[in-house]
Amino acid sequence: QQNVQQSPESLIVPEGARTSLNCTFSDSASQYFWWYRQHSGKAPKALMSIFSNGEKEEGRFTIHLNKASLHFSLHIRDSQPSDSALYLCAVSVGDNSKLIWGLGTSLVVNP
Amino acid sequence: GPKVLQIPSHQIIDMGQMVTLNCDPVSNHLYFYWYKQILGQQMEFLVNFYNGKVMEKSKLFKDQFSVERPDGSYFTLKIQPTALEDSAVYFCASSLNRVGNTLYFGEGSRLIVV
């Protein structure tokens, strides 16, 4: 049974800071890796995904995957108060569309 | 961006009664999902649905649960009868394809069984 863990549980950073969020998974057959963002009371919304080892950058957001370490991360450059939200990582295995989720990291960016 | 609508947003129901949660997925999407989140716990996969059939379900998808999407209308999750442990937020999602595709979620239906 896949186990997905996120760290830290919560994070408070000043505006403009670089923020790093971590996600570890237990099943080495995992193939698809996602970060979702959820503002309070709203729908989880896909932020970024990565399907092979390495790094992908989209604007202020960078996702990094190391399958050998069973770890992927999300980095936010120049954090903004609007980035304050719950960040959820999710993993799927093989050709399975089922997502296994972490508990989330609650991020607060103070102006 | 694409939106998934869920109705109702909240419902309180007596144990043993039936409840139907409705989902209006993104219009051109073909795959539909229900996830369950108990307060303070991870969101967990319940079921996925394609071409009128359940493709995969988890052990959380008890015999009292059923899903359908009659004639392209709402994608529904029905629980009959409800139990106290069914209290949770139920998220509906849809995607265009199955593997490696972005899931678009609704805002959830909060179900409280008393």
Side-chain angles (χ1 to χ4, degrees), chain B residues 9-79:
Chain B
S9 58
H10 295 80
Q11 185 150 5
I12 301 174
I13 194 163
D14 290 327
M15 184 174 64
Q17 297 296 304
M18 182 193 79
V19 68
T20 300
L21 305 180
N22 299 288
C23 173
D24 188 12
V26 178
S27 60
N28 62 333
H29 283 186
L30 302 174
Y31 294 86
F32 313 112
Y33 312 81
W34 284 103
Y35 283 81
K36 176 182 178 180
Q37 186 174 34
I38 294 172
L39 188 64
Q41 298 184 21
Q42 276 120 321
M43 190 154 48
E44 292 189 90
F45 170 82
L46 276 179
V47 65
N48 54 22
F49 188 87
Y50 168 73
N51 198 25
K53 300 191 190 79
V54 169
M55 291 196 314
E56 186 182 5
K57 57 186 180 182
S58 73
K59 63 182 187 318
L60 295 180
F61 194 80
K62 305 179 297 184
D63 290 343
Q64 297 90 325
F65 288 36
S66 62
V67 290
E68 63 175 354
R69 192 186 188 210
D71 299 323
S73 60
Y74 286 145
F75 174 52
T76 62
L77 173 66
K78 187 183 292 187
I79 309 174

Side-chain angles (χ1 to χ4, degrees), chain A residues 1 3-5 32 34 36 38 41-46 49 51 86 88 92 94-103, chain B residues 1 4 31 33 35 37 40-45 48 55-56 58-59 91 98-108:
Chain A
Q1 173 75 4
N3 184 22
V4 176
Q5 299 286 332
Y32 302 99
W34 303 88
Y36 278 75
Q38 185 179 25
K42 299 296 183 186
K45 186 174 175 183
S49 60
F51 302 155
L86 182 68
L88 297 160
S92 66
D95 65 353
N96 194 326
S97 62
K98 177 173 72 176
L99 290 178
I100 308 297
W101 297 83
L103 257 177
Chain B
V4 173
Y31 294 86
Y33 312 81
Y35 283 81
Q37 186 174 34
Q41 298 184 21
Q42 276 120 321
M43 190 154 48
E44 292 189 90
F45 170 82
N48 54 22
M55 291 196 314
E56 186 182 5
S58 73
K59 63 182 187 318
F91 288 96
R98 189 167 75 95
V99 180
N101 248 226
T102 297
L103 265 61
Y104 290 84
F105 282 85
E107 293 187 350

Side-chain angles (χ1 to χ4, degrees), chain A residues 54-73:
Chain A
E55 205 169 87
K56 186 164 89 169
E57 183 178 330
E58 289 178 4
R60 296 184 293 109
F61 297 87
T62 302
I63 190 171
H64 184 264
L65 171 64
N66 184 330
K67 283 192 185 181
S69 302
L70 304 175
H71 175 265
F72 65 111
S73 55

Side-chain angles (χ1 to χ4, degrees), chain A residues 23-30 33 65-72:
Chain A
C23 189
T24 60
F25 53 98
S26 59
D27 191 337
S28 58
S30 301
F33 306 88
L65 171 64
N66 184 330
K67 283 192 185 181
S69 302
L70 304 175
H71 175 265
F72 65 111

